[in-house]
Amino acid sequence: MRDTTDKKNLFLLVQLRWLAVAGQVVTILIVHYQMGITLPLDQMGAVILFLVALNIASVLHLRRQTSVSNTQLFLELLIDVSALTVQLYLSGGASNPFISLYLLQITLGAVLLEAWSAWALVLVATACFTLLIGAYRPLALPPGLEGLLLGLHIQGMFLCFVLTASLIVPFITQITRNLRARDAHLADLRQRSMEEDHIVRLGLLASGAAHELGTPLATLSVIVNDWRRMPVVKGDPDMAEDIAEMQNQIDRCKAIVSGILLSSGEARGEGTLRTTVTAFLDDLVEEWKDSRSPACVDYDNSVRSREGIISDLALKQVIFNVLDNALEVSPGWVGIAAGRQGDSLVLTVNDAGPGFEERMLAEFGKPYRSSKGRPGGGLGLFLVVNVVRKLGGSVAARNRPGGGASVTMTLPLAALSAGESHGD
């Protein structure tokens, strides 16, 4: 983000230089033609043309490159200091009231540059000021202005003060805004890095737990199968039904464990499943309904696309988490709406529950932010937000006007198709 910020700041320097060019032209014309003070127009005009050419080159550089270094900013400010020195040399040296414009360059350098280059700019500006005390082209004042020299100098100092103050405030304000935006972006990147590290640790724990659960589940499956063959169980229909249900639940646990291992790339023999957007959503909702048995589900899939995607178990689990949360707070009704906006899939899950608290909406997707009051609460939505963000999408939550909550997931289809191009 530092490079992007410096690019914005260099653009501000270009704008400032255009203002400097316009100000120099106006000042030279007034002094030379209105006040009658003879100035070397050719030499001063050459400096102005050089600044114009420099600005054009800087704009072209900004268009071609995505980053700007501290050294380039330093060189740009050095050139501005040098151009100002030449103009002052041609117009009275240190006696020129606009000598204070050095402070504008130094102020910008203090904000934009690293410490070493800012101090180097101070030394260069000081050296130029010192040089102008003894080496300069004297101004030839017309006879009518010789007695008004002090008053003219004070007026020039006033104009220089107003000009410098008027330039410092807006430009420093904008530069500070750029730096704050950079700091906020860096803080966001640090937060994302911490969240991703948290997800990695959760994934390792889940994968380890899946491995550990494999053995006891297999043992339980063997024991339950032995029970089913026992005469006492076969002779008791109720007990046989209970044993069958136990076997079903064990099989479901084994399927969940296999899904965890498959998501982490550790499954054996399963290939990548390719499907379409419509089929993926329809199968996902049907599987969720079969396993959760909700009272009422309103499902509206308006995608109707044959675009090929990869059926990602992690994404399926993410959507399951959102559906499970909706079902938990609204057992009587869950609404699911799928649509397409441009090149993105939009999936909205609605419920008729109490809705989100304002604090939850403000901290949506943060780990351990939950109103359920149980250990580990909030991890489901935390994983939802981060997995969708990894796919280049976004998750938004709001409270519905008629009551209940709504969670909307926006997913780019290009991410779901793993970068392959498919037609509709």
Side-chain angles (χ1 to χ4, degrees):
M1 184 63 185
R2 172 65 182 175
D3 291 337
T4 303
T5 302
D6 283 342
K7 183 177 179 179
K8 295 178 181 177
N9 292 335
L10 178 56
F11 181 73
L12 288 176
L13 288 182
V14 170
Q15 292 179 308
L16 179 61
R17 195 175 292 129
W18 285 125
L19 292 177
V21 167
Q24 289 180 32
V25 171
V26 172
T27 303
I28 291 172
L29 292 177
I30 292 175
V31 172
H32 186 80
Y33 292 103
Q34 183 175 340
M35 300 178 65
I37 301 176
T38 303
L39 295 173
L41 297 182
D42 293 341
Q43 294 92 323
M44 300 184 80
V47 174
I48 293 176
L49 290 177
F50 170 76
L51 291 176
V52 171
L54 176 63
N55 252 11
I56 295 174
S58 298
V59 170
L60 293 176
H61 174 78
L62 285 172
R63 290 180 178 179
R64 288 195 308 266
Q65 298 191 4
T66 58
S67 63
V68 174
S69 65
N70 175 78
T71 302
Q72 183 173 352
L73 285 174
F74 177 53
L75 292 177
E76 294 272 347
L77 286 171
L78 276 182
I79 293 174
D80 288 336
V81 169
S82 301
L84 177 61
T85 302
V86 174
Q87 296 290 50
L88 293 173
Y89 172 83
L90 296 172
S91 56
S95 63
N96 190 314
F98 289 94
I99 192 76
S100 300
L101 287 176
Y102 279 127
L103 292 176
L104 176 61
Q105 309 298 334
I106 292 174
T107 302
L108 293 174
V111 177
L112 294 177
L113 302 177
E114 298 176 3
W116 70 268
S117 46
W119 281 109
L121 187 66
V122 171
L123 294 176
V124 171
T126 303
C128 292
F129 194 124
T130 305
L131 176 65
L132 291 174
I133 294 176
Y136 59 92
R137 180 186 180 278
L139 290 177
L141 297 178
L145 294 179
E146 290 180 353
L148 304 175
L149 184 59
L150 179 59
L152 292 174
H153 187 80
I154 293 176
Q155 292 177 17
M157 290 177 61
F158 174 75
L159 290 175
C160 181
F161 168 78
V162 173
L163 176 63
T164 304
S166 301
L167 291 175
I168 284 178
V169 171
F171 279 91
I172 295 300
T173 300
Q174 184 59 49
I175 290 171
T176 303
R177 188 178 294 116
N178 291 342
L179 296 175
R180 287 176 178 172
R182 178 201 65 187
D183 293 340
H185 183 70
L186 291 176
D188 183 61
L189 289 179
R190 284 193 292 268
Q191 179 65 28
R192 288 191 180 190
S193 177
M194 294 173 58
E195 291 176 354
E196 289 170 2
D197 179 68
H198 194 74
I199 291 174
V200 169
R201 287 187 279 116
L202 286 175
L204 291 174
L205 289 174
S207 179
H211 280 294
E212 295 295 331
L213 288 173
T215 300
L217 286 175
T219 302
L220 288 174
S221 181
V222 172
I223 293 175
V224 170
N225 280 325
D226 290 342
W227 285 355
R228 296 176 66 179
R229 291 192 292 267
M230 295 175 62
V232 65
V233 173
K234 291 182 178 181
D236 190 335
D238 292 336
M239 184 176 293
E241 183 178 352
D242 290 341
I243 294 296
E245 180 62 24
M246 290 174 61
Q247 183 63 56
N248 291 335
Q249 295 302 317
I250 291 174
D251 292 340
R252 183 183 174 190
C253 289
K254 291 169 69 175
I256 293 173
V257 169
S258 297
I260 294 174
L261 295 177
L262 180 61
S263 297
S264 62
E266 299 178 24
R268 301 174 302 274
E270 289 85 356
T272 302
L273 178 60
R274 297 184 180 275
T275 181
T276 64
V277 178
T278 303
F280 173 75
L281 293 174
D282 291 345
D283 293 343
L284 180 147
V285 172
E286 193 63 31
E287 179 181 343
W288 182 78
K289 289 167 62 176
D290 290 341
S291 59
R292 272 66 169 181
S293 301
C296 178
V297 175
D298 287 336
Y299 174 52
D300 178 21
N301 184 0
S302 61
V303 177
R304 298 296 176 260
S305 173
R306 296 189 301 274
E307 185 166 356
I309 65 170
I310 295 176
S311 180
D312 189 348
L313 285 178
L315 177 60
K316 180 182 292 188
Q317 187 59 52
V318 158
I319 299 175
F320 275 13
N321 282 342
V322 178
L323 294 173
D324 289 343
N325 283 342
L327 182 63
E328 184 174 354
V329 298
S330 176
W333 177 83
V334 173
I336 308 170
R340 180 169 180 173
Q341 291 182 358
D343 294 329
S344 296
L345 169 67
V346 179
L347 184 65
T348 302
V349 178
N350 300 314
D351 64 60
F356 291 105
E357 300 176 0
E358 291 300 324
R359 175 181 60 86
M360 287 296 301
L361 287 175
E363 299 179 343
F364 184 79
K366 300 294 182 182
Y368 309 114
R369 303 294 200 278
S370 175
S371 57
K372 298 175 183 177
R374 63 173 183 239
L379 277 179
L381 289 177
F382 168 70
L383 293 172
V384 168
V385 170
N386 279 274
V387 170
V388 172
R389 188 173 63 192
K390 275 290 188 182
L391 292 172
S394 61
V395 183
R398 64 179 180 86
N399 288 324
R400 302 169 62 215
S406 177
V407 176
T408 301
M409 292 169 282
T410 304
L411 294 158
L413 293 174
L416 301 182
S417 60
E420 298 177 7
S421 58
H422 304 272
D424 285 352

